[in-house]
Every structure is written in structure tokens, then in C-alpha cells.
Amino acid sequence: MQRPTLADIARAAEVSTATVSHALNGTGRLGESTRRRVRATATALGYSAAATPRTRTIGVAVTTYPRAWNYTEIAYFSRAVTAATSAAHARGYALTVLPADRAADDSWHGLAVDGMLIMDSPRGDPMVHALRARGIPLVFDGAPGDPHPTDRWVDNDHVATTHEVLDHLTAAGARRIALQSGSGGEHYARVVTETYEAWCAERSLPPLVVPFDEYDDEGHAFDEVLGREVLGRIDAVHAVYDPGGRQLLAAAARHGLRVPDDLLLVCASEDPGYAETEPPVTTVTLDPERTARTAVSLLVDLIEGGRAEEAQTEVPGRVLVPAGLRPRASSRRRVMY
């Protein structure tokens, strides 16, 4: 099928070709409704910019939260982007890291990439929809919110990892474990929360999910559960996001609770600083470097029409990277003599 031209888009949108060019390139003085209408028409027609000699490029984006935030300040994403850059360069590709708010607008129509690595894609992800319409190869870090049969993604076994954490805390003496989890639309938080709730149900324990707030530096979200009477108070926490461990330490200090004597803690984080806190915090690593390298390899194979190696998995398209528990003092109760 012949690729649609700017003239085709102009006819369909009932505008000039100059207007189409301005709309797709983000230039000119166009009304926002016109710009959006032209871009939507381009997507519907399956338009992509004409190929010109340029460096082959892979794009990276995090689309979980469609707002302006610097995800490269988070240890997981920082390490993943660094590893993805190295892996892309090794295969002869440049790597472009998109700002988070790029996922909230409609500028993907003119995005000049050969393929995209999308991290934590939620349900109804507009970037995924637009790039699929353009035929751009996609690979995901974490299961996509709206998976297609041909999608490829790299992920951890969050069910097995969550069981490992909960069993680790139980073996250390925990009897009332709370989960601090997010309310975002990404697969990771959903699966960890569902696994935790099922684990509690199997033991006839009421689940207790504390909402995660990235701006809650003092851990006030824990105040209610830490302020309860002894029999109803939690004695362990599994925090699924990087800041959660420090938030819990701050909250425990405010309530006069000692970690690990009164409260055990495990936090999913790639931050090496947790080895230096007081006490050092047990962490779960999701191995972002291996995840990113694997994802880039899959993506380049898709771009170049090769066949990526299939991993042993029950889910078509999914490649698993093992997570790892790093026990430290925060989840080991001291023996009193």
C-alpha cells in the first residue's frame, strides 16, 4: 500500500499542506483544535515521516503518569536508561529519552524513531495507540496495559517475588504485614497488590494497603496503622516503590517505633543508599540493567526484522528477568539475651 502523503492528509483534514506540515512538526501559529485534528487525521491514515538519511534511533519513555516529572531521578529508571543507552550504542543506535510530559501530549505523530522502549505503560496509553497506528516497533519494560498478541515485553515475576518477600517477613516473626502500594495504572502495582491480597486471604488475614505518595517524605500515610493499639498495629511493611523505605523509617521514628525490633521493613529499590541507612534496609532489586539490555535487544531485532530468542515462559511475548531479595538488618529481628 502506498504511504499517505502530506497532500493526502491535507485533503482529508480539509486544510493546506503547509498547515499539515506545521501541525506535524509543532511549528507555525495554528489553533490547538486544528493541530489536533490534523494529527488525528495523520494517525488515522497511517502516516509516517518520509525516511531520510539519519542515525538509527530508539526512543525511551515512561508513560505511567502523564505529567511533568523527572523519572531519571528515580534509581530504577536512571539505571535502566544508562543500560539501555549502552545496549543501543552497541547495536549502532542512538537513544533518545523523552520527558514524561511528552507522553501527555500528541506530539508522537512526528516522533522520528525507528522503535520505542516504553516503560510502565498503563491501560489506554495514547502514546502506544499512536505509535502502533504508525507501525513503529514497540517493546515494553513491564507488561503493557493493553497488550496485543504480537507485543513483546520484559518483566519480573512479581507474583513469585511478592511471595518471597512476605514469606521472608513471616519467617522473621511478622504477623501483621502491610503493603505500601501505588494507585497508578501500571501492571507492577496491580500484580503486587493482588498477590498480597490473595496471600492474606489464604491465611484469613485482612489485607492492609497503605497508599503511596511520592511527596510524603515524613511517611504520614503510615500514621493511622502505626498509631493503633498493639494488637491491631502492623509489625512489618513491604514498600513497593523506592521512597517507601525512607518514608516508613521517618514514620516509625515519629511514633517511637524501632526498626527492626518493633517493625520489619522490606523496600523494592535500586538505591544503594539503603545499605547505609540506620538500620540498613532490606531491598528487592528488579535488575533494571538486565531488563533494559534485554528489551533493547528485542527491540532492535524487531526493527531489523530478526527473530529474537524466546524465553521459557507461559506467557507469549514475555521475557522474565529474575528479581532478587537483598536481606539487611531492617528485616532481621535482633536476638535479645
Side-chain angles (χ1 to χ4, degrees):
M1 181 179 294
Q2 186 175 0
R3 183 170 56 198
T5 65
L6 295 185
D8 295 328
I9 300 170
R11 281 192 295 270
E14 299 182 342
V15 296
S16 69
T17 55
T19 297
V20 172
S21 178
H22 286 313
L24 297 182
N25 293 316
T27 59
R29 295 184 177 182
L30 300 181
E32 190 60 27
S33 61
T34 299
R35 196 182 300 275
R36 289 183 179 276
R37 177 162 58 86
V38 171
R39 288 178 172 177
T41 302
T43 296
L45 293 177
Y47 172 80
S48 62
T52 57
R54 61 178 177 84
T55 302
R56 297 179 297 177
T57 303
I58 291 171
V60 174
V62 177
T63 58
T64 303
Y65 301 103
R67 54 179 171 74
W69 64 292
N70 190 358
Y71 56 84
T72 59
E73 292 180 348
I74 304 299
Y76 178 90
F77 295 117
S78 174
R79 291 170 58 174
V81 167
T82 299
T85 302
S86 177
H89 290 178
R91 296 292 295 269
Y93 286 76
L95 187 132
T96 298
V97 183
L98 277 67
D101 56 355
R102 185 72 178 266
D105 62 27
D106 60 354
S107 56
W108 327 283
H109 304 275
L111 192 61
V113 294
D114 298 281
M116 279 292 298
L117 168 57
I118 300 181
M119 300 182 176
D120 288 350
S121 175
R123 292 167 177 163
D125 191 336
M127 176 181 276
V128 170
H129 174 76
L131 294 178
R132 278 181 175 147
R134 289 178 53 193
I136 301 294
L138 306 177
V139 169
F140 299 86
D141 176 346
D146 301 309
H148 282 199
T150 58
D151 279 346
R152 303 298 302 273
W153 67 90
V154 185
D155 205 358
N156 310 101
D157 189 339
H158 299 302
V159 173
T161 302
T162 302
H163 276 282
E164 182 180 9
V165 170
L166 297 173
D167 292 343
H168 170 78
L169 290 170
T170 300
R175 295 295 176 264
R176 188 74 176 91
I177 304 172
L179 178 76
Q180 186 197 35
S181 187
S183 57
E186 80 274 22
H187 172 80
Y188 168 59
R190 290 202 311 272
V191 171
V192 173
T193 302
E194 290 169 0
T195 302
Y196 164 76
E197 291 173 343
W199 185 89
C200 290
E202 290 172 1
R203 290 156 180 78
S204 300
L205 296 170
L208 206 167
V209 180
V210 177
F212 170 71
D213 178 355
E214 64 182 296
Y215 301 109
D216 182 19
D217 293 339
E218 297 301 315
H220 290 292
F222 291 103
D223 285 348
E224 180 182 354
V225 294
L226 295 181
R228 293 179 178 177
E229 296 297 325
V230 175
L231 292 178
R233 193 177 64 206
I234 61 174
D235 60 3
V237 171
H238 174 28
V240 304
Y241 290 116
D242 184 273
R246 288 185 170 83
Q247 292 175 353
L248 189 279
L249 290 175
R254 271 202 329 279
H255 287 268
L257 299 172
R258 298 167 300 170
V259 177
D261 298 328
D262 303 313
L263 194 61
L264 301 173
L265 170 62
V266 174
C267 178
S269 175
E270 311 302 331
D271 185 354
Y274 274 122
E276 306 298 329
T277 56
E278 180 53 45
V281 172
T282 296
T283 56
V284 174
T285 175
L286 303 180
D287 202 344
E289 288 87 358
R290 182 173 175 183
T291 298
R293 289 194 300 267
T294 303
V296 168
S297 178
L298 290 173
L299 183 55
V300 172
D301 286 344
L302 287 176
I303 293 169
E304 298 180 353
R307 182 174 181 178
E309 292 185 10
E310 296 290 341
Q312 296 298 318
T313 174
E314 298 177 358
V315 181
R318 182 180 72 172
V319 177
L320 287 178
V321 169
L325 183 66
R326 294 174 173 169
R328 297 189 180 106
S330 72
S331 63
R332 296 170 174 155
R333 288 223 166 98
R334 290 186 278 263
V335 178
M336 306 301 291
Y337 295 96

